[in-house]
Amino acid sequence: MGFKKYILTRVVTMFGVLMATLLVTIALVGSNMDSILKQSVAFEIRQQITDNKALVENFKSPEELDSFIVSQIDQRIKALGLDEPWYSPPRLGLTMYKILILDFGHATFLTSDSGSSNVKDILLEKLPRTILLFTTATVIISLLGIFLGALSGSKVNSKLDRMTSTFAVVSSSFPVWWIGMLMIFVFAFAYQIFPARATPLIPITDPGYIGALLYHMTLPLITLVLIGFGSWAYLVRNFLIGILQEDFIMAKRAAGIPERKIIYTHALKNAAPPIVTVLALSLSGSLGGAVITEAVFDWPGMGRLYFEAINVLDLPVIIGATYVLTAFFLASIFLADILYGYFDPRVRTG
Amino acid sequence: MSLSSREMWQEFSGNKIGLVGIGIIILLFAMSAVAAVTIPVETFKEWNNPASWITFPKSSLPAWVNYFLSEKIPEHKILKNPQTASQTVGEVSIISHGFVVDYEYDSFPSDFIYEYTARYTGTPLLQISVIRPDGVELKLTSTSLPKSATETSYHELIFSTDDSVKKNLRKNAEHFVFPLDLLSAEDVVFSATDTNKVLKGRYVFQVNLYSIDSHTAIKDSKFILGGKIYGLMGTDELRRDLAVGLLWGTPLALFIGISVAVGSVVIGLIYGVFAGYKGKKTDEALMRFNDVIYAMPALPLLIILAVTIGNSIFLIVGFLMIFGWVGIAKVSRSMAMQIKTLQYVEAAKIMGQKDIKVIFKHILPQLLPYTFASIAISVPAAITTEAGLSFLGLGDPTFPTWGQILHDANTFGAAARGLWWWIVPPGVMIALTGLAFVFIGNAMDTIVNPKLKR
């Protein structure tokens, strides 16, 4: 199997996963959503008709008015296609088609900070913030991790190595959001350096907004880095140790190449494929965990949006956010797969 | 790869970290047993019912903080076992309950409450007075219970903030050199007479019930002295005793962690081995499905599942299994592919043994050490994921977990308000439980994969 075919199968699988995830989401929230929509349609029409005094006076009895309202509601429900359940092929097909062309419609309850209820607007407003926070964190974590990992991998069983390993195991046992709460306690209560809530209070149109956002980002960023770089260093260390046992490193040592050069050029280069893969995977993992992390710090990104949407069952937003989260998740897994396949030809034959 | 259980234990007992892990887990099981024995599960199910915590103090520090403070904070006391006495003088029978309070704190209590249930006929008279360390006796209340011709049961709470209590105290103004008008009842009762400072020593709160009916009785007599510290772990904003929540969280976390880990490892193992053993089309189809589940974003879907289907603790265990088995299936598939080429498996096949038998008798036993290691390693992830869901408020409200305690803490802004005793212990427990299993898992891993040793 060639590399092209390998990529093709991956693309097809990923697309299948994306569709499957969306289908599962729609299946889970669909029936709830239908009843909510029907109720709001009925309410809206009743309001419209009773507000229209001239129309109401035409009816002789309240029963007659009532039956008129009911027939109007039925008409509207039929016009909207709500008379059929969410899983009827035409409706499901339409929903999926709209998602495919990135038309998520309008949110039922939530709005963006600038007041738009278009799901695309909301997502485009929140997404950059999540990317800003989590990519920055991942970049810092991987740089710190690779440096520390190389250092401790080259001095196995030294004090530094033991400290790194212990820190890695301990830090990865704590939930990120709990460390977040502790950080808020320390830096927002005990020493009032950073704000406890990461949503800036000034309006989004203010020129100082970006600066305020960055300042509010510091505490979540420190937390993510603190909890993340330990396990990274441990991982890099383990890859490095594995490679330092290989014959070609022995040969280089025998040839008299300085240990430092062996580690930082030859060994790290060979450890790169798995490291890059893990980098992509950890980015996607942290995006998935964003829901909780953003809830702790009240960071106004995708994760918090998702959680708010779930709480009020705002289906268009849930689907839009699931789509974007899944797409990013898949993109990073895909990237990891491709990179691994590129670096390590053995994988391609699967 | 195959190791007898004795060999495994021999290697394991040489691993210090693994033993530490075992030690912590034994401790956690002991805590679970203590919780089950000392705190009835009914009490625990009342966790989210504010009415059952009404006598507890609000957001109070653990009691042991007083050891580190020079200014002692008054401890919240719930006195349930009074010294009882009864006597009959002529026609009148007197029931007296005495509550002894050794008050050695540096500030006034926040309030005091007397709660009782009386059974009587007629109109008994209830009197409460306090005898102070300096010998002064202050009358707090004197009230007759509602008249009843038949035997009746009457439940009442007498608060220090009641006007009658204040009025009665003002009558004792001659004992004090300062005016009492603006002071609350507890500030007068526990005050020295020359200045308005705390008078330390032994206070006796005496409750007397006078009645002409000899069948009169007081039940559930409770005296509550309001303070700002309570119990081993303190209380939260909703007055709940955190020690109860933390203690009961232990068996729940162990249950969730272990059942999810065992469930997903068993599913993953059988799935993976079956795929690897069968190979070809079956393998291809099964692994594609595996890829799909593997690439789904677990947390968002878990949240949707919990919101739409339900959040009972058993459902959540099931949901976590859905996403837990995938990685194990991948690894056990590749292991099965190696094992099936071994001669004895081929021999079994040639002898005409059924696939099921080959898998369960010849392949799965070979994977047993790996299985145990992966169960131990899967536990922490299950516990933290459940804690995360609970933290978002999606946990089972009838069985509150450590994650839910933290959820409540976050809702009430505990971190920004400095209520550390509400935040630190649940997180430490989550991490400790996770660490114990990681230690054991890593120790077993080094036995199973000798390559990791160095």
Side-chain angles (χ1 to χ4, degrees):
Chain A
M1 193 157 51
F3 194 52
K4 268 185 196 156
K5 199 175 172 199
Y6 171 77
I7 291 182
L8 202 70
T9 38
R10 300 312 295 169
V11 169
V12 172
T13 317
M14 291 299 158
F15 186 74
V17 173
L18 186 59
M19 289 300 113
T21 311
L22 289 171
L23 259 178
V24 169
T25 313
I26 295 172
L28 285 170
V29 287
S31 56
N32 283 324
M33 195 51 215
D34 274 6
S35 55
I36 293 176
L37 273 180
K38 275 183 198 157
Q39 271 168 19
S40 72
V41 165
F43 180 78
E44 203 176 298
I45 287 183
R46 199 169 283 271
Q47 195 80 29
Q48 268 174 17
I49 293 174
T50 45
D51 280 354
N52 191 342
K53 284 276 153 55
L55 189 71
V56 171
E57 275 164 18
N58 282 337
F59 293 100
K60 291 185 187 73
S61 67
E63 287 80 26
E64 218 173 300
L65 175 70
D66 226 40
S67 67
F68 174 72
I69 292 177
V70 170
S71 72
Q72 285 290 308
I73 291 173
D74 283 349
Q75 254 180 34
R76 177 73 66 87
I77 283 179
K78 209 163 240 159
L80 288 173
L82 285 176
D83 54 332
E84 287 183 77
W86 60 268
Y87 47 81
S88 69
R91 273 195 71 196
L92 198 58
L94 188 69
T95 320
M96 294 303 280
Y97 171 72
K98 277 192 171 170
I99 291 172
L100 274 185
I101 58 169
L102 294 179
D103 173 11
F104 302 113
H106 284 266
T108 331
F109 306 101
L110 301 174
T111 58
S112 70
D113 289 349
S114 48
S116 164
S117 75
N118 191 330
V119 175
K120 216 187 268 178
D121 287 350
I122 303 180
L123 291 178
L124 284 179
E125 185 185 88
K126 310 282 183 194
L127 190 59
R129 298 180 192 151
T130 297
I131 293 180
L132 174 70
L133 175 58
F134 287 91
T135 352
T136 319
T138 309
V139 168
I140 299 178
I141 288 171
S142 44
L143 288 181
L144 265 178
I146 289 170
F147 178 71
L148 195 65
L151 213 60
S152 54
S154 59
K155 293 175 192 155
V156 183
N157 281 335
S158 67
K159 221 177 216 171
L160 178 85
D161 180 37
R162 278 166 193 220
M163 261 164 61
T164 312
S165 306
T166 317
F167 182 75
V169 176
V170 172
S171 71
S172 56
S173 297
F174 289 104
V176 182
W177 43 270
W178 181 70
I179 297 291
M181 290 176 89
L182 284 191
M183 297 295 276
I184 293 176
F185 173 70
V186 173
F187 291 107
F189 172 78
Y191 306 96
Q192 299 176 356
I193 305 171
F194 297 111
R197 292 262 162 258
T199 307
L201 293 170
I202 55 175
I204 194 161
T205 44
D206 195 285
Y209 186 79
I210 303 280
L213 196 68
L214 288 178
Y215 171 60
H216 283 77
M217 192 176 93
T218 327
L219 201 53
L221 188 67
I222 294 176
T223 309
L224 287 172
V225 169
L226 195 67
I227 211 79
F229 81 92
S231 37
W232 250 100
Y234 191 57
L235 216 66
V236 172
R237 163 194 182 269
N238 285 351
F239 285 139
L240 204 67
I241 288 176
I243 284 170
L244 286 178
Q245 285 172 315
E246 301 271 340
D247 289 343
F248 75 93
I249 297 284
M250 298 292 173
K252 290 204 160 79
R253 279 204 188 116
I257 298 174
E259 189 71 20
R260 219 184 150 75
K261 202 178 170 193
I262 291 180
I263 286 167
Y264 284 97
T265 53
H266 304 284
L268 262 188
K269 202 194 260 169
N270 278 282
I275 291 176
V276 171
T277 314
V278 178
L279 179 73
L281 284 180
S282 79
L283 187 62
S284 68
S286 71
L287 276 177
V291 182
I292 304 184
T293 319
E294 291 186 3
V296 184
F297 291 104
D298 209 18
W299 177 252
M302 286 289 297
R304 214 189 67 178
L305 174 77
Y306 190 79
F307 184 59
E308 282 170 356
I310 288 280
N311 271 335
V312 294
L313 271 184
D314 197 329
L315 185 67
V317 179
I318 295 177
I319 291 185
T322 312
Y323 185 92
V324 174
L325 276 181
T326 314
F328 267 87
F329 192 76
L330 292 179
S332 40
I333 291 184
F334 179 67
L335 199 71
D337 272 355
I338 299 294
L339 286 174
Y340 213 108
Y342 178 75
F343 283 123
D344 191 346
R346 283 171 298 179
V347 184
R348 288 179 224 165
T349 53
Chain B
M1 199 185 283
S2 65
L3 285 165
S4 74
S5 52
R6 175 180 290 194
E7 280 170 338
M8 226 171 138
W9 173 247
Q10 262 179 1
E11 285 219 36
F12 193 91
S13 55
N15 189 315
K16 267 188 204 143
I17 291 181
L19 289 178
V20 170
I22 296 264
I24 299 175
I25 284 174
I26 290 175
L27 197 74
L28 291 172
F29 272 101
M31 274 177 74
S32 312
V34 168
V37 171
T38 57
I39 308 162
V41 83
E42 285 76 30
T43 325
F44 182 58
K45 282 190 168 172
E46 292 289 292
W47 181 256
N48 283 325
N49 175 13
S52 55
W53 301 99
I54 200 133
T55 55
F56 289 80
K58 208 175 187 178
S59 311
S60 59
L61 286 151
W64 45 261
V65 292
N66 260 353
Y67 290 112
F68 306 100
L69 297 174
S70 54
E71 289 265 302
K72 306 290 180 216
I73 304 172
E75 187 177 348
H76 190 93
K77 286 183 177 164
I78 302 171
L79 304 170
K80 283 182 187 165
N81 299 314
Q83 302 167 344
T84 52
S86 58
Q87 60 180 111
T88 321
V89 182
E91 273 200 336
V92 181
S93 69
I94 309 166
I95 301 170
S96 30
H97 285 188
F99 296 91
V100 178
V101 177
D102 285 316
Y103 203 80
E104 299 292 343
Y105 310 107
D106 291 297
S107 55
F108 291 110
S110 45
D111 59 352
F112 54 85
I113 303 166
Y114 179 62
E115 184 183 4
Y116 68 100
T117 309
R119 287 190 72 80
Y120 64 92
T121 50
T123 51
L125 178 74
L126 182 81
Q127 281 192 337
I128 304 175
S129 58
V130 55
I131 302 159
R132 296 157 30 107
D134 56 0
V136 175
E137 182 170 356
L138 300 174
K139 197 177 273 180
L140 297 173
T141 192
S142 176
T143 173
S144 48
L145 308 187
K147 188 175 178 182
S148 168
T150 53
E151 195 177 68
T152 180
S153 177
Y154 180 69
H155 176 247
E156 198 192 6
L157 289 158
I158 295 170
F159 296 92
S160 58
T161 46
D162 288 352
D163 279 341
S164 63
V165 176
K166 277 189 194 166
K167 218 176 271 172
N168 276 318
L169 280 171
R170 258 172 240 152
K171 290 180 193 156
N172 298 298
E174 80 271 8
H175 292 300
F176 300 90
V177 298
F178 46 89
L180 304 180
D181 298 346
L182 294 171
L183 297 174
S184 60
E186 63 276 4
D187 286 9
V188 175
V189 170
F190 291 91
S191 172
T193 50
D194 44 350
T195 57
N196 192 12
K197 289 247 177 69
V198 176
L199 176 70
K200 293 181 186 176
R202 171 165 291 192
Y203 290 78
V204 180
F205 286 83
Q206 195 69 37
V207 180
N208 289 333
L209 190 69
Y210 302 90
S211 128
I212 47 168
D213 173 19
S214 55
H215 295 295
T216 306
I218 307 182
K219 279 193 295 184
D220 304 329
S221 177
K222 247 191 252 176
F223 186 80
I224 299 140
L225 187 69
K228 292 184 189 71
I229 57 172
Y230 180 81
L232 199 59
M233 286 292 154
T235 61
D236 65 10
E237 185 77 6
L238 301 169
R239 301 170 184 273
R240 297 176 294 204
D241 185 356
L242 286 171
V244 172
L246 287 169
L247 214 54
W248 260 106
T250 318
L252 289 178
L254 290 176
F255 164 74
I256 293 166
I258 293 173
S259 51
V260 170
V262 170
S264 26
V265 167
V266 168
I267 297 172
L269 201 67
I270 293 175
Y271 188 96
V273 167
F274 187 73
Y277 177 75
K278 278 288 194 179
K280 301 196 182 112
K281 284 264 159 63
T282 327
D283 179 37
E284 181 69 20
L286 288 177
M287 281 301 119
R288 280 300 143 258
F289 179 68
N290 187 297
D291 281 349
V292 169
I293 304 275
Y294 176 75
M296 280 185 169
L299 194 67
L301 281 175
L302 279 172
I303 293 172
I304 296 186
L305 282 169
V307 169
T308 54
I309 294 186
N311 56 4
S312 114
I313 201 164
F314 302 103
L315 277 176
I316 287 184
V317 165
F319 297 152
L320 290 172
M321 279 183 205
I322 298 179
F323 296 100
W325 59 274
V326 192
I328 291 143
K330 274 192 174 180
V331 180
S332 47
R333 167 182 171 265
S334 58
M335 286 183 162
M337 282 166 87
Q338 284 174 15
I339 295 173
K340 82 170 176 187
T341 57
L342 295 179
Q343 277 184 343
Y344 76 96
V345 179
E346 303 236 319
K349 271 204 279 190
I350 292 168
M351 278 163 68
Q353 282 191 344
K354 284 192 182 121
D355 287 351
I356 300 281
K357 204 171 174 194
V358 176
I359 289 176
F360 279 91
K361 221 173 157 200
H362 299 300
I363 300 183
L364 280 180
Q366 295 291 311
L367 296 177
L368 225 50
Y370 163 72
T371 312
F372 286 128
S374 20
I375 286 178
I377 290 173
S378 311
V379 172
I383 292 178
T384 38
T385 317
E386 191 282 333
L389 282 177
S390 293
F391 179 74
L392 290 175
L394 303 171
D396 188 340
T398 45
F399 292 102
T401 54
W402 293 326
Q404 269 179 66
I405 298 179
L406 288 169
H407 164 74
D408 292 334
N410 197 45
T411 339
F412 286 100
R417 287 166 54 200
L419 312 178
W420 51 267
W421 63 95
W422 197 357
I423 308 167
V424 177
V428 170
M429 290 304 290
I430 293 173
L432 201 65
T433 315
L435 268 182
F437 284 99
V438 168
F439 285 165
I440 294 178
N442 281 352
M444 280 160 80
D445 225 17
T446 38
I447 300 170
V448 183
N449 303 326
K451 249 192 183 175
L452 293 177
K453 263 184 251 166
R454 241 185 69 102

